[in-house]
Each structure stands twice: as structure tokens, then as C-alpha cells.
Coordinates of all heavy atoms in Angstrom, one line a residue:
M169 N 0.8 6.9 1.9 CA 1.5 5.9 2.4 C 2.9 5.8 1.7 O 3.8 5.1 2.2 CB 0.9 4.6 2.4 CG -0.4 4.5 3.3 SD -1.2 3.0 3.4 CE -0.3 1.9 2.2
G170 N 3.0 6.5 0.6 CA 4.3 6.4 -0.2 C 5.2 7.4 0.3 O 5.1 8.1 1.2
V171 N 6.2 7.5 -0.5 CA 7.4 8.6 -0.2 C 7.2 9.4 -1.4 O 6.7 9.2 -2.4 CB 8.8 7.8 -0.1 CG1 8.8 6.8 0.9 CG2 9.1 7.2 -1.3
T172 N 7.9 10.5 -1.0 CA 8.1 11.5 -2.1 C 9.6 12.0 -2.2 O 10.4 11.6 -1.3 CB 7.1 12.7 -2.0 OG1 7.2 13.6 -3.2 CG2 7.4 13.6 -0.9
F173 N 10.0 12.7 -3.1 CA 11.3 13.0 -3.2 C 11.6 14.5 -3.1 O 10.7 15.3 -3.5 CB 11.9 12.6 -4.6 CG 11.5 11.1 -4.8 CD1 10.5 10.7 -5.5 CD2 12.5 10.0 -4.1 CE1 10.3 9.3 -5.6 CE2 12.3 8.8 -4.3 CZ 11.2 8.3 -5.1
G174 N 12.7 14.9 -2.4 CA 12.9 16.3 -2.3 C 13.1 17.0 -3.5 O 13.4 16.5 -4.6
T175 N 12.9 18.4 -3.5 CA 12.9 19.2 -4.8 C 14.0 20.2 -4.4 O 14.6 20.3 -3.3 CB 11.6 20.0 -5.1 OG1 11.4 20.7 -4.0 CG2 10.6 18.9 -5.3
E176 N 14.1 21.3 -5.3 CA 15.1 22.3 -5.0 C 14.6 23.1 -3.8 O 15.4 23.8 -3.2 CB 15.0 23.3 -6.2 CG 15.5 22.7 -7.5 CD 14.4 22.0 -8.3 OE1 13.3 22.3 -8.3 OE2 14.7 21.0 -8.9
A177 N 13.4 23.0 -3.4 CA 13.0 23.8 -2.2 C 13.3 23.2 -0.9 O 13.3 23.7 0.2 CB 11.4 23.8 -2.2
E178 N 13.9 21.8 -1.0 CA 14.4 21.1 0.2 C 15.9 20.7 -0.2 O 16.0 19.5 -0.3 CB 13.5 19.8 0.5 CG 12.0 20.2 0.9 CD 11.2 20.0 -0.4 OE1 11.6 19.5 -1.3 OE2 10.1 20.6 -0.2
P179 N 16.8 21.7 -0.2 CA 18.2 21.3 -0.5 C 18.7 20.2 0.3 O 18.6 20.3 1.6 CB 19.0 22.5 -0.6 CG 18.1 23.3 0.3 CD 16.7 23.0 0.2
G180 N 19.4 19.1 -0.2 CA 19.9 18.0 0.6 C 19.0 17.0 1.1 O 19.4 16.0 1.7
I181 N 17.8 17.2 0.7 CA 16.7 16.1 1.2 C 16.5 15.2 -0.2 O 16.1 15.7 -1.2 CB 15.4 16.8 1.6 CG1 15.6 17.7 2.8 CG2 14.4 15.7 1.9 CD1 16.1 17.1 3.9
D182 N 16.7 14.0 0.1 CA 16.5 13.0 -0.9 C 15.2 12.4 -0.9 O 14.5 12.2 -1.9 CB 17.5 11.9 -0.9 CG 19.0 12.4 -1.3 OD1 19.1 13.3 -2.0 OD2 19.9 12.0 -0.5
V183 N 14.7 11.9 0.3 CA 13.5 11.3 0.4 C 12.7 11.9 1.6 O 13.2 12.1 2.6 CB 13.6 9.8 0.6 CG1 12.4 8.9 0.9 CG2 14.4 9.1 -0.4
I184 N 11.4 12.0 1.4 CA 10.5 12.6 2.3 C 9.4 11.4 2.7 O 8.8 10.8 1.8 CB 9.8 13.7 1.9 CG1 10.7 14.9 1.5 CG2 8.8 14.2 3.0 CD1 10.2 16.0 0.8
L185 N 9.5 11.1 4.0 CA 8.6 9.9 4.4 C 7.4 10.6 5.2 O 7.6 11.6 6.0 CB 9.3 9.1 5.4 CG 10.5 8.4 4.8 CD1 11.4 7.8 5.9 CD2 10.2 7.5 3.9
P186 N 6.2 10.0 5.1 CA 5.0 10.5 5.8 C 5.1 10.2 7.2 O 5.8 9.2 7.7 CB 3.8 9.7 5.2 CG 4.5 8.4 4.6 CD 5.9 8.8 4.2
D187 N 4.4 11.0 8.0 CA 4.2 10.6 9.5 C 3.0 9.9 9.7 O 1.9 10.3 9.4 CB 4.0 12.0 10.3 CG 3.7 11.7 11.7 OD1 3.8 10.6 12.2 OD2 3.6 12.7 12.5
I188 N 3.1 8.6 10.0 CA 1.9 7.8 10.0 C 1.4 7.6 11.4 O 0.4 6.8 11.6 CB 2.4 6.2 9.5 CG1 3.5 5.7 10.4 CG2 2.8 6.4 8.1 CD1 3.9 4.3 10.1
G189 N 1.8 8.5 12.3 CA 1.2 8.4 13.7 C -0.3 8.6 13.7 O -1.0 7.9 14.4
F190 N -0.8 9.4 12.8 CA -2.2 9.7 12.8 C -3.0 8.4 12.4 O -4.1 8.1 13.0 CB -2.4 10.8 11.7 CG -4.0 11.1 11.4 CD1 -4.7 11.7 12.3 CD2 -4.6 10.6 10.3 CE1 -6.1 12.1 12.1 CE2 -5.9 10.8 10.1 CZ -6.7 11.4 11.0
L191 N -2.5 7.6 11.4 CA -3.1 6.5 11.0 C -3.2 5.5 12.1 O -4.2 4.8 12.3 CB -2.4 5.9 9.8 CG -2.3 6.6 8.5 CD1 -1.5 6.0 7.4 CD2 -3.8 6.8 8.0
E192 N -2.1 5.3 12.9 CA -2.0 4.4 14.0 C -3.1 4.8 15.1 O -3.9 4.0 15.5 CB -0.7 4.4 14.7 CG -0.5 3.4 15.6 CD 0.9 3.1 15.9 OE1 1.8 4.0 15.8 OE2 1.1 2.1 16.4
E193 N -3.3 6.0 15.3 CA -4.2 6.7 16.4 C -5.7 6.4 15.8 O -6.5 6.2 16.7 CB -4.0 8.1 16.6 CG -2.7 8.4 17.3 CD -2.4 9.9 17.4 OE1 -3.3 10.7 17.1 OE2 -1.2 10.2 17.9
E194 N -5.9 6.4 14.5 CA -7.3 6.5 13.9 C -7.6 5.1 13.3 O -8.5 4.9 12.6 CB -7.4 7.6 12.9 CG -7.4 8.9 13.6 CD -8.7 9.1 14.5 OE1 -9.8 8.7 14.2 OE2 -8.4 9.8 15.6
R195 N -6.8 4.0 13.6 CA -6.8 2.9 12.9 C -8.3 2.2 13.1 O -8.7 1.4 12.2 CB -5.8 1.9 13.2 CG -5.9 1.3 14.6 CD -4.8 0.2 15.1 NE -4.6 0.1 16.3 CZ -3.6 0.5 17.0 NH1 -2.5 0.9 16.3 NH2 -3.3 0.3 18.3
H196 N -8.9 2.6 14.1 CA -10.3 2.0 14.4 C -11.2 2.6 13.4 O -12.4 2.0 13.2 CB -10.7 2.2 15.9 CG -10.8 3.6 16.3 ND1 -9.6 4.3 16.5 CD2 -11.7 4.6 16.3 CE1 -9.9 5.6 16.8 NE2 -11.3 5.7 16.7
N197 N -11.0 3.6 12.7 CA -11.8 4.4 11.8 C -11.4 4.1 10.4 O -12.1 4.5 9.5 CB -11.8 5.8 12.0 CG -12.4 6.2 13.3 OD1 -13.6 5.8 13.6 ND2 -11.8 7.3 13.9
I198 N -10.4 3.2 10.2 CA -9.9 2.9 8.8 C -10.7 1.8 8.2 O -10.6 0.7 8.8 CB -8.4 2.9 8.7 CG1 -7.7 4.1 9.1 CG2 -8.0 2.4 7.3 CD1 -6.3 4.0 9.3
V199 N -11.4 1.9 7.2 CA -12.0 0.9 6.5 C -11.1 0.0 5.6 O -11.4 -1.2 5.4 CB -13.3 1.5 5.7 CG1 -14.1 0.3 5.0 CG2 -14.2 2.2 6.7
G200 N -10.3 0.7 4.9 CA -9.4 0.0 4.0 C -8.3 0.9 3.4 O -8.3 2.1 3.8
V201 N -7.5 0.3 2.6 CA -6.4 1.1 2.0 C -6.6 0.9 0.5 O -6.8 -0.2 -0.1 CB -5.0 0.5 2.4 CG1 -4.0 1.1 1.6 CG2 -4.8 0.5 3.9
L202 N -6.6 2.0 -0.3 CA -6.6 2.0 -1.7 C -5.4 2.3 -2.4 O -4.8 3.4 -2.1 CB -7.8 3.0 -2.1 CG -8.0 3.2 -3.6 CD1 -8.6 2.0 -4.3 CD2 -8.8 4.4 -3.9
L203 N -5.0 1.4 -3.2 CA -3.7 1.4 -3.9 C -4.0 1.8 -5.3 O -4.8 1.1 -6.0 CB -2.9 0.3 -3.8 CG -2.6 -0.2 -2.4 CD1 -1.7 -1.6 -2.4 CD2 -1.6 0.8 -1.7
T204 N -3.5 2.8 -5.9 CA -3.8 3.3 -7.2 C -3.0 2.5 -8.4 O -3.3 2.4 -9.4 CB -3.7 4.7 -7.5 OG1 -2.4 5.2 -7.2 CG2 -4.7 5.5 -6.6
H205 N -1.7 2.1 -7.9 CA -0.9 1.4 -8.9 C 0.3 0.8 -8.2 O 0.4 1.0 -6.9 CB -0.3 2.5 -10.0 CG 0.4 3.7 -9.5 ND1 -0.2 4.7 -8.8 CD2 1.7 4.0 -9.3 CE1 0.6 5.6 -8.6 NE2 1.8 5.1 -8.8
A206 N 1.1 0.1 -8.9 CA 2.1 -0.8 -8.3 C 3.6 -0.3 -8.3 O 4.5 -1.0 -8.3 CB 2.0 -2.2 -9.1
H207 N 3.7 1.0 -8.1 CA 5.0 1.4 -7.9 C 5.5 1.2 -6.5 O 4.7 1.4 -5.6 CB 5.2 2.9 -8.3 CG 5.1 3.2 -9.8 ND1 5.2 4.6 -10.1 CD2 5.2 2.3 -10.8 CE1 5.3 4.6 -11.5 NE2 5.1 3.2 -11.8
E208 N 6.8 0.7 -6.3 CA 7.3 0.4 -5.0 C 7.1 1.6 -4.0 O 6.8 1.3 -2.8 CB 8.7 0.0 -5.0 CG 9.3 -0.5 -3.7 CD 8.7 -1.7 -3.2 OE1 8.1 -2.6 -3.8 OE2 8.8 -2.0 -2.0
D209 N 7.3 2.8 -4.5 CA 7.3 3.9 -3.5 C 5.7 4.2 -3.2 O 5.6 5.1 -2.2 CB 8.0 5.2 -4.2 CG 7.4 5.6 -5.4 OD1 6.9 4.7 -6.3 OD2 7.3 6.8 -5.6
H210 N 4.8 3.7 -3.9 CA 3.4 3.7 -3.4 C 2.9 2.6 -2.5 O 2.1 2.8 -1.7 CB 2.5 4.0 -4.8 CG 2.8 5.2 -5.3 ND1 2.1 6.3 -5.1 CD2 3.7 5.5 -6.2 CE1 2.5 7.3 -5.8 NE2 3.6 6.9 -6.5
F211 N 3.3 1.4 -2.7 CA 2.8 0.3 -2.0 C 3.9 -0.4 -1.2 O 3.5 -1.3 -0.3 CB 2.1 -0.7 -2.9 CG 3.0 -1.7 -3.7 CD1 3.3 -3.0 -3.0 CD2 3.4 -1.5 -4.9 CE1 4.1 -3.9 -3.7 CE2 4.2 -2.4 -5.6 CZ 4.6 -3.5 -5.0
G212 N 5.0 0.0 -1.1 CA 6.1 -0.5 -0.4 C 5.9 -0.6 1.1 O 6.4 -1.5 1.8
A213 N 5.2 0.4 1.6 CA 4.9 0.5 3.1 C 3.7 -0.3 3.5 O 3.6 -0.5 4.9 CB 4.8 1.9 3.5
V214 N 3.0 -0.9 2.6 CA 1.8 -1.6 3.0 C 2.2 -2.7 4.0 O 1.4 -3.0 5.0 CB 1.1 -2.0 1.8 CG1 -0.2 -3.0 2.1 CG2 0.5 -0.8 1.1
A215 N 3.2 -3.4 3.8 CA 3.6 -4.6 4.5 C 3.6 -4.2 6.0 O 3.2 -4.9 6.9 CB 4.9 -5.3 4.1
D216 N 4.2 -3.1 6.3 CA 4.4 -2.6 7.7 C 3.0 -2.0 8.2 O 2.6 -2.3 9.2 CB 5.4 -1.6 7.8 CG 6.9 -2.2 7.6 OD1 7.1 -3.3 8.0 OD2 7.7 -1.5 6.8
L217 N 2.5 -1.2 7.3 CA 1.2 -0.5 7.8 C 0.0 -1.4 7.9 O -0.8 -1.3 8.8 CB 0.8 0.5 6.7 CG 1.7 1.8 6.7 CD1 1.2 2.7 5.6 CD2 1.5 2.6 8.1
W218 N -0.1 -2.4 7.0 CA -1.2 -3.5 7.1 C -1.2 -4.1 8.4 O -2.4 -4.2 9.0 CB -0.9 -4.5 6.0 CG -2.1 -5.4 5.7 CD1 -3.4 -4.9 5.3 CD2 -2.0 -6.8 5.7 NE1 -4.0 -6.0 5.1 CE2 -3.4 -7.2 5.3 CE3 -1.0 -7.7 5.9 CZ2 -3.7 -8.5 5.2 CZ3 -1.5 -9.1 5.8 CH2 -2.8 -9.4 5.4
L219 N -0.2 -4.4 9.0 CA -0.2 -5.1 10.3 C -0.4 -4.1 11.4 O -1.3 -4.3 12.4 CB 1.1 -5.7 10.7 CG 1.6 -6.9 9.8 CD1 3.1 -7.4 10.2 CD2 0.7 -8.1 10.0
M220 N 0.0 -2.9 11.3 CA -0.4 -1.8 12.2 C -1.8 -1.4 12.2 O -2.4 -1.1 13.1 CB 0.5 -0.5 12.0 CG 0.3 0.5 12.9 SD 1.1 2.1 12.3 CE -0.1 2.6 11.1
L221 N -2.4 -1.5 11.0 CA -3.9 -1.2 10.8 C -4.9 -2.2 11.1 O -5.9 -2.2 10.7 CB -4.0 -0.6 9.5 CG -3.2 0.7 9.1 CD1 -3.5 1.0 7.6 CD2 -3.6 1.9 10.0
G222 N -4.2 -3.4 11.7 CA -5.0 -4.6 12.0 C -5.5 -5.3 10.8 O -6.6 -5.7 10.7
R223 N -4.7 -5.4 9.8 CA -4.9 -6.2 8.5 C -6.2 -5.6 7.8 O -7.1 -6.2 7.4 CB -5.0 -7.5 8.7 CG -3.7 -8.2 9.2 CD -3.7 -9.7 9.3 NE -2.5 -10.1 9.8 CZ -1.7 -11.1 9.2 NH1 -2.1 -11.7 8.3 NH2 -0.6 -11.4 9.8
A224 N -6.2 -4.2 7.7 CA -7.4 -3.6 7.0 C -7.4 -4.2 5.5 O -6.4 -4.5 5.0 CB -7.2 -2.0 7.0
S225 N -8.7 -4.1 5.0 CA -8.9 -4.5 3.7 C -8.0 -3.6 2.7 O -7.9 -2.4 3.0 CB -10.3 -4.4 3.2 OG -11.1 -5.3 4.0
V226 N -7.4 -4.2 1.7 CA -6.7 -3.5 0.6 C -7.4 -3.6 -0.6 O -7.7 -4.8 -1.1 CB -5.2 -4.1 0.6 CG1 -4.5 -3.2 -0.5 CG2 -4.5 -4.0 1.8
Y227 N -7.7 -2.5 -1.3 CA -8.3 -2.4 -2.6 C -7.3 -1.9 -3.5 O -6.6 -0.9 -3.3 CB -9.6 -1.4 -2.5 CG -10.5 -1.8 -1.4 CD1 -10.5 -1.4 -0.2 CD2 -11.5 -2.8 -1.8 CE1 -11.5 -1.8 0.8 CE2 -12.5 -3.2 -0.7 CZ -12.3 -2.7 0.5 OH -13.3 -3.1 1.4
A228 N -7.3 -2.5 -4.6 CA -6.3 -2.2 -5.7 C -6.7 -2.8 -7.1 O -7.7 -3.6 -7.3 CB -5.0 -2.9 -5.3
T229 N -6.1 -2.3 -8.1 CA -6.4 -2.8 -9.5 C -5.8 -4.3 -9.4 O -5.1 -4.6 -8.6 CB -5.6 -2.0 -10.5 OG1 -4.1 -2.1 -10.3 CG2 -6.0 -0.6 -10.5
P230 N -6.3 -5.1 -10.4 CA -5.8 -6.5 -10.2 C -4.3 -6.7 -10.3 O -3.8 -7.4 -9.6 CB -6.5 -7.0 -11.6 CG -7.7 -6.3 -11.7 CD -7.3 -4.9 -11.2
F231 N -3.7 -5.9 -11.2 CA -2.3 -6.0 -11.3 C -1.5 -5.6 -10.0 O -0.6 -6.3 -9.6 CB -1.7 -5.1 -12.4 CG -0.1 -5.2 -12.6 CD1 0.4 -6.3 -13.3 CD2 0.5 -4.1 -12.2 CE1 1.8 -6.2 -13.4 CE2 1.9 -4.2 -12.3 CZ 2.5 -5.3 -12.9
T232 N -1.8 -4.5 -9.4 CA -1.4 -4.0 -8.2 C -1.6 -5.0 -7.0 O -0.7 -5.2 -6.3 CB -1.9 -2.5 -7.8 OG1 -1.7 -1.6 -8.9 CG2 -1.4 -2.1 -6.6
A233 N -2.8 -5.5 -7.0 CA -3.1 -6.6 -6.0 C -2.1 -7.8 -6.0 O -1.7 -8.2 -5.1 CB -4.5 -6.9 -6.1
E234 N -1.8 -8.2 -7.3 CA -0.9 -9.4 -7.6 C 0.4 -8.9 -7.1 O 1.2 -9.8 -6.4 CB -1.0 -9.8 -9.1 CG -2.2 -10.5 -9.4 CD -2.5 -11.8 -8.6 OE1 -1.6 -12.5 -8.4 OE2 -3.6 -11.9 -8.2
M235 N 0.9 -7.8 -7.5 CA 2.3 -7.3 -7.0 C 2.4 -7.4 -5.5 O 3.3 -7.8 -4.9 CB 2.6 -6.0 -7.6 CG 2.7 -5.9 -9.0 SD 4.3 -6.8 -9.7 CE 5.4 -5.6 -9.0
L236 N 1.4 -6.8 -4.8 CA 1.3 -6.7 -3.3 C 1.2 -8.0 -2.7 O 1.9 -8.4 -1.8 CB 0.3 -5.8 -3.0 CG 0.1 -5.6 -1.4 CD1 1.4 -5.0 -0.8 CD2 -1.0 -4.8 -0.9
K237 N 0.4 -8.9 -3.4 CA 0.2 -10.3 -2.7 C 1.5 -11.0 -2.8 O 1.7 -11.7 -1.9 CB -0.8 -11.0 -3.6 CG -1.3 -12.3 -3.0 CD -2.5 -12.9 -3.7 CE -2.7 -12.6 -5.2 NZ -3.7 -13.4 -5.8
S238 N 2.3 -10.8 -3.9 CA 3.5 -11.5 -4.0 C 4.5 -11.0 -2.9 O 5.2 -11.8 -2.2 CB 4.2 -11.2 -5.5 OG 5.4 -11.8 -5.5
K239 N 4.5 -9.7 -2.8 CA 5.5 -9.0 -1.7 C 5.1 -9.5 -0.4 O 6.0 -10.0 0.4 CB 5.3 -7.6 -1.8 CG 6.3 -6.8 -0.8 CD 6.1 -5.4 -0.9 CE 7.1 -4.8 0.0 NZ 8.4 -4.5 -0.6
L240 N 3.8 -9.5 0.0 CA 3.4 -10.0 1.3 C 3.6 -11.5 1.5 O 3.8 -12.0 2.6 CB 1.9 -9.6 1.6 CG 1.5 -8.1 1.6 CD1 0.1 -7.9 1.8 CD2 2.4 -7.5 2.7
G241 N 3.5 -12.2 0.4 CA 3.6 -13.6 0.4 C 5.1 -14.0 0.8 O 5.4 -14.9 1.5
E242 N 6.0 -13.3 0.2 CA 7.5 -13.4 0.3 C 7.8 -13.1 1.8 O 8.8 -13.8 2.3 CB 8.3 -12.5 -0.5 CG 8.3 -12.8 -2.0 CD 8.9 -11.9 -3.0 OE1 9.4 -10.8 -2.5 OE2 8.8 -12.1 -4.2
M243 N 7.1 -12.3 2.4 CA 7.3 -11.9 3.8 C 6.7 -12.8 4.8 O 6.8 -12.6 6.0 CB 7.0 -10.4 4.1 CG 7.7 -9.4 3.0 SD 7.1 -7.8 3.4 CE 7.9 -7.4 4.9
G244 N 5.9 -13.7 4.2 CA 5.1 -14.7 5.0 C 3.9 -14.1 5.7 O 3.4 -14.6 6.8
L245 N 3.3 -13.0 5.2 CA 2.3 -12.3 5.8 C 0.9 -12.7 5.4 O 0.0 -12.7 5.9 CB 2.3 -10.8 5.6 CG 3.6 -10.1 6.4 CD1 3.6 -8.6 6.0 CD2 3.5 -10.3 7.9
V246 N 0.8 -13.2 4.1 CA -0.4 -13.9 3.4 C 0.0 -15.0 2.6 O 1.1 -15.2 2.2 CB -1.1 -12.8 2.6 CG1 -1.5 -11.6 3.4 CG2 -0.4 -12.5 1.4
D247 N -1.0 -16.0 2.5 CA -0.9 -17.1 1.4 C -0.9 -16.4 0.2 O -1.6 -15.6 -0.1 CB -2.0 -18.1 1.8 CG -2.0 -19.2 0.8 OD1 -1.8 -19.0 -0.4 OD2 -2.2 -20.2 1.3
K248 N 0.0 -16.8 -0.7 CA 0.0 -16.1 -2.1 C -1.2 -16.4 -2.9 O -1.4 -15.6 -3.9 CB 1.3 -16.7 -2.9 CG 2.5 -16.3 -2.4 CD 3.7 -16.6 -3.2 CE 5.0 -16.0 -2.6 NZ 6.2 -16.2 -3.3
N249 N -2.1 -17.2 -2.4 CA -3.3 -17.6 -3.1 C -4.5 -16.7 -2.6 O -5.7 -16.6 -3.1 CB -3.7 -19.0 -3.0 CG -2.8 -19.8 -3.7 OD1 -2.2 -19.5 -4.8 ND2 -2.4 -21.0 -3.1
T250 N -4.3 -15.8 -1.6 CA -5.4 -15.0 -0.9 C -5.8 -13.9 -1.9 O -4.9 -13.2 -2.5 CB -4.8 -14.4 0.3 OG1 -4.4 -15.3 1.2 CG2 -5.9 -13.5 0.9
T251 N -7.1 -13.9 -2.2 CA -7.6 -12.9 -3.1 C -8.7 -12.1 -2.6 O -9.3 -11.1 -3.1 CB -8.0 -13.3 -4.5 OG1 -8.9 -14.4 -4.3 CG2 -6.7 -14.0 -5.2
R252 N -9.4 -12.5 -1.7 CA -10.7 -12.1 -1.1 C -10.8 -12.0 0.4 O -9.8 -12.4 0.9 CB -11.9 -12.8 -1.6 CG -12.0 -12.9 -3.0 CD -12.8 -11.8 -3.5 NE -13.1 -11.8 -5.1 CZ -12.7 -11.0 -5.8 NH1 -12.2 -9.9 -5.5 NH2 -13.0 -11.1 -7.2
G253 N -11.8 -11.5 0.9 CA -11.9 -11.4 2.4 C -11.1 -10.2 2.9 O -11.2 -9.1 2.2
R254 N -10.6 -10.3 4.1 CA -10.0 -9.2 4.6 C -8.5 -9.1 4.3 O -7.8 -8.7 5.1 CB -10.0 -9.2 6.2 CG -11.5 -9.0 6.7 CD -11.7 -8.8 8.1 NE -10.8 -7.8 8.6 CZ -10.9 -6.5 8.7 NH1 -12.0 -6.0 8.1 NH2 -10.0 -5.6 9.2
S255 N -8.3 -9.3 3.1 CA -6.9 -9.4 2.5 C -6.7 -8.4 1.4 O -7.0 -7.2 1.5 CB -6.5 -10.8 2.2 OG -6.6 -11.6 3.2
L256 N -6.6 -9.1 0.2 CA -6.5 -8.3 -1.0 C -7.6 -8.5 -1.9 O -8.3 -9.5 -2.0 CB -5.2 -8.7 -1.8 CG -3.9 -8.5 -0.9 CD1 -2.9 -9.1 -1.7 CD2 -3.7 -7.3 -0.5
L257 N -8.0 -7.4 -2.5 CA -9.2 -7.4 -3.3 C -8.9 -6.6 -4.6 O -8.6 -5.4 -4.5 CB -10.5 -6.9 -2.6 CG -11.7 -6.7 -3.6 CD1 -12.3 -8.0 -3.9 CD2 -12.8 -6.0 -2.8
G258 N -9.0 -7.2 -5.8 CA -8.9 -6.5 -7.0 C -10.2 -5.7 -7.1 O -11.1 -6.3 -7.4
A259 N -10.0 -4.4 -7.1 CA -11.3 -3.5 -7.0 C -11.9 -3.4 -8.5 O -12.9 -3.0 -8.7 CB -11.0 -2.2 -6.5
G260 N -11.1 -3.8 -9.6 CA -11.5 -3.7 -10.9 C -11.4 -2.4 -11.5 O -11.8 -2.2 -12.7
A261 N -10.8 -1.4 -10.8 CA -10.6 0.0 -11.5 C -9.5 -0.2 -12.5 O -8.7 -0.9 -12.4 CB -10.2 0.8 -10.4
R262 N -9.6 0.6 -13.6 CA -8.7 0.7 -14.5 C -7.8 2.0 -14.4 O -8.0 2.9 -15.1 CB -9.3 0.6 -15.8 CG -10.2 -0.6 -16.2 CD -9.8 -1.7 -16.8 NE -8.7 -1.6 -17.7 CZ -7.9 -2.5 -18.0 NH1 -7.8 -3.7 -17.3 NH2 -6.9 -2.3 -19.0
L263 N -7.0 1.9 -13.5 CA -6.1 3.2 -13.3 C -4.8 2.8 -13.7 O -4.3 1.7 -13.7 CB -6.1 3.4 -11.8 CG -7.4 3.7 -11.1 CD1 -7.2 3.8 -9.6 CD2 -8.1 4.9 -11.6
A264 N -4.0 3.8 -14.2 CA -2.7 3.5 -14.6 C -1.7 4.7 -14.3 O -2.2 5.8 -14.3 CB -2.6 3.3 -16.1
H265 N -0.5 4.5 -14.0 CA 0.5 5.4 -13.7 C 1.8 4.7 -14.1 O 2.6 4.2 -13.2 CB 0.5 6.0 -12.3 CG 1.6 6.9 -12.0 ND1 1.7 8.1 -12.6 CD2 2.6 6.8 -11.1 CE1 2.8 8.7 -12.0 NE2 3.5 7.8 -11.2
S266 N 2.1 4.6 -15.4 CA 3.3 3.8 -15.9 C 3.3 2.4 -15.6 O 4.4 1.8 -15.4 CB 4.5 4.5 -15.4 OG 4.6 5.9 -15.7
T267 N 2.1 1.8 -15.2 CA 2.1 0.3 -15.0 C 0.8 -0.1 -15.7 O -0.2 0.6 -15.8 CB 1.9 -0.2 -13.5 OG1 0.7 0.6 -13.0 CG2 3.2 0.2 -12.7
L268 N 0.9 -1.2 -16.3 CA -0.3 -1.8 -17.1 C -1.3 -2.5 -16.1 O -0.8 -3.2 -15.1 CB 0.1 -2.8 -18.1 CG 1.0 -2.3 -19.3 CD1 1.5 -3.5 -20.0 CD2 0.4 -1.2 -20.0
S269 N -2.6 -2.3 -16.2 CA -3.4 -3.0 -15.2 C -4.6 -3.6 -16.0 O -4.8 -3.3 -17.1 CB -4.0 -1.9 -14.2 OG -4.6 -0.9 -14.7

């Protein structure tokens, strides 16, 4: 769901975006979205995808869940106090990639 950045193999390409058409076609088979950390290039698309995927459950570390909850709250998509149910759930995993969790 995130973006990646062009390398020397893609001259002139700054950002590479995924084709999410497959996810939209298969949304009835998607159980949830797992976020490993809170970098914007990893969870930034969730606001758009979450609605497209029928508000699928989102699983994340507690820190990442709070970051996403704040972002979705600012956009009016969830109540900032939402933590359980078919919204955001801190999965309790201790994953890190330059963010503390």
C-alpha cells in the first residue's frame, strides 16, 4: 500500500505507486490490513484504501495505530477515540523501522 522510490534502474522516476485495482476487485476476500510501522509512505494511503475496502479491520502496533487514528480523525473518517471493532486495533506486535513502538 505504500510507495517506493525510483533507483538508478528507473532514470527520471521519483516515486512508484502500486496498482490497487487488484485490491478493489478482491475486497470481499480481504480480512484486514496489517501496518508494520508509522512512516507516512507506508500508511498514508490507508485513508483512501480503507473506504474502498469497506472499512476493513486495520491491525498495527500501538504507536502506528495512534498515528493512523489521528490522521483518520483529522479527515473525519473515525472518532479519535476509536480503538476496537472494525476500525483500528493495536495488535501488540513489537515491530520497528525507525519508529518507536
Side-chain angles (χ1 to χ4, degrees):
M169 288 187 0
V171 299
T172 192
F173 306 100
T175 66
E176 299 83 33
E178 299 93 19
I181 303 296
D182 294 323
V183 177
I184 300 171
L185 303 170
D187 177 5
I188 60 172
F190 175 78
L191 294 175
E192 190 168 21
E193 291 171 10
E194 294 295 320
R195 71 175 158 247
H196 60 280
N197 290 320
I198 296 174
V199 175
V201 177
L202 175 64
L203 301 175
T204 59
H205 58 284
H207 284 176
E208 181 71 23
D209 61 324
H210 291 264
F211 80 90
V214 171
D216 297 316
L217 288 177
W218 192 56
L219 296 174
M220 182 192 77
L221 299 177
R223 296 183 182 234
S225 295
V226 176
Y227 301 93
T229 61
F231 179 77
T232 302
E234 289 300 315
M235 294 288 292
L236 181 61
K237 189 170 33 171
S238 176
K239 181 180 183 84
L240 295 177
E242 289 171 4
M243 299 175 76
L245 296 175
V246 297
D247 181 312
K248 289 186 180 184
N249 296 318
T250 301
T251 57
R252 297 273 185 236
R254 294 193 46 83
S255 305
L256 304 175
L257 171 69
R262 305 270 320 156
L263 305 173
H265 174 66
S266 303
T267 57
L268 299 175
S269 54

